[in-house]
Amino acid sequence: YEISCVTGVQTCALPISLQLAPPPFLVTLQGLSFQDSLPIRIMALNTWGMPELFGAKDKDLRMKAIGRMLAKQEYDLYLFEELWLRPDHNTILQHLPHGYHMTSYDSMTQKECPYDVFTPGLCCDGAATPSGCSGLAIASRFPFTQTSFTIYNEHGPIADGEKLARKGFGRVRIAPKENVTIDVFVTHTCANDEVLDKTAREHQVAQLLESVQSSSADFALLGGDFNSDPRASNEATYAHLKKTMASSMEDFFKHITDWLVPKKASYGNPRNSYSNMYAPVLYDYIWHRTKPGNLIVTNMFDLPFLTTTKTMLTQHEDSSVSKKSGATSKKQVSLSDHEAVSASLYLFKKKY
């Protein structure tokens, strides 16, 4: 059975013996033997949690729907970005299913107030604005043995608000089974496509990858909103990621062009009720890396279309009609202006 795989950081196309039904897979690779497979289902979603005053439509409705989605326990790991405000974090936390774990709001933000001439005394309050905050959170079927947050050293210009936020990357360590450790990273990098934004984004990813490479865990998983399309010109963000980690999307699709189509865009998707008027791009990814000798197989990469029902007062020429009748209409709206990305992975640790 010929399959693309990743051992350590090297992509390979080698014969692998797979017993596909029922899982776990039984794997041999050039005489190496592995422990039983560990299946991990992971999803990353930019929640579009900006205050409604800043343009995030139907936020309260969507946050409750995201919480209900979490309660279904369809994934082992949920990586959230733009969960800027404490009330929204609490809304999702209230839906956390029994046995799951979620990072606290303060564990994924700066611990001290920065001070510089551009943002004097800027702290993360998270009550009304995203200023000084990261917007990151992780929910997991497995308990956390370690939790950390690192602020990026470089940010975009203050003119587009990037310098006001304190973006960075979060990390949790989980141990889903005995003698197997996974570092799970989540991030949201600098947005926009001005030169200063692209430069900041490249520096941010370089800083993130240093931490990924220094991980002592058996496996490293990374997901989030990278704000960089693989086709982007004059920017090396995606290329830098690909040198250090493997893309679940590229694992699953033989040619990346099979995925770079409007209906697979994670932002500006024609089916998205909030961003369909924008040019479709791919901003959101799931990446992975292993210690040398270990193996990750991507069994599925998908872009689930997540929606909820919005109830509206029916509009009539005579407004008194709707007031008297209480007539309403319903429509499906997306859970965010971004689409989620998800992957089903099988992790194999080498037997020594």
Side-chain angles (χ1 to χ4, degrees), residues 245-266:
M245 306 190 76
S247 164
S248 292
M249 173 186 67
E250 295 196 47
D251 285 350
F252 191 69
F253 291 89
K254 185 174 181 180
H255 304 290
I256 191 173
T257 51
D258 294 339
W259 190 259
L260 296 178
V261 293
K263 67 179 182 179
K264 299 295 187 180
S266 63

Side-chain angles (χ1 to χ4, degrees), residues 118-243:
F118 298 105
T119 55
L122 182 65
C123 301
C124 177
D125 176 73
T129 75
S131 295
C133 305
S134 78
L136 302 177
I138 298 175
S140 168
R141 185 185 299 273
F142 311 104
F144 306 136
T145 62
Q146 297 178 14
T147 303
S148 66
F149 171 72
T150 303
I151 299 174
Y152 285 130
N153 296 328
E154 295 198 25
H155 304 271
I158 193 170
D160 58 16
E162 283 292 335
K163 196 170 180 65
L164 296 178
R166 277 299 177 264
K167 290 182 177 179
F169 58 90
R171 181 191 65 88
V172 299
R173 178 166 293 185
I174 57 176
K177 60 188 296 186
E178 186 178 1
N179 199 34
V180 175
T181 56
I182 307 173
D183 274 349
V184 183
F185 294 83
V186 61
T187 193
H188 181 201
T189 64
C190 185
N192 302 312
D193 288 323
E194 300 300 324
V195 173
L196 290 177
D197 293 296
K198 289 183 178 181
T199 300
R201 191 156 52 235
E202 290 175 347
H203 284 289
Q204 289 173 348
V205 166
Q207 182 183 349
L208 165 63
L209 291 177
E210 284 182 7
S211 184
V212 171
Q213 289 176 292
S214 66
S215 169
S216 61
D218 298 311
F219 304 92
L221 306 178
L222 164 65
D225 175 6
F226 292 84
N227 279 305
S228 180
D229 190 277
R231 299 159 295 190
S233 60
N234 302 318
E235 182 180 356
T237 298
Y238 191 86
H240 288 331
L241 285 159
K242 195 172 176 180
K243 286 180 180 178

Side-chain angles (χ1 to χ4, degrees), residues 7-47:
T7 57
V9 298
Q10 299 298 318
T11 301
C12 55
L14 299 172
I16 297 179
S17 171
L18 293 181
Q19 181 179 322
L20 293 178
F25 293 164
L26 181 64
V27 176
T28 60
L29 173 60
Q30 288 190 331
L32 299 177
S33 61
F34 298 89
Q35 299 177 13
D36 289 341
S37 65
L38 172 63
I40 294 288
R41 297 166 300 166
I42 181 172
M43 187 197 74
L45 173 66
N46 179 320
T47 65

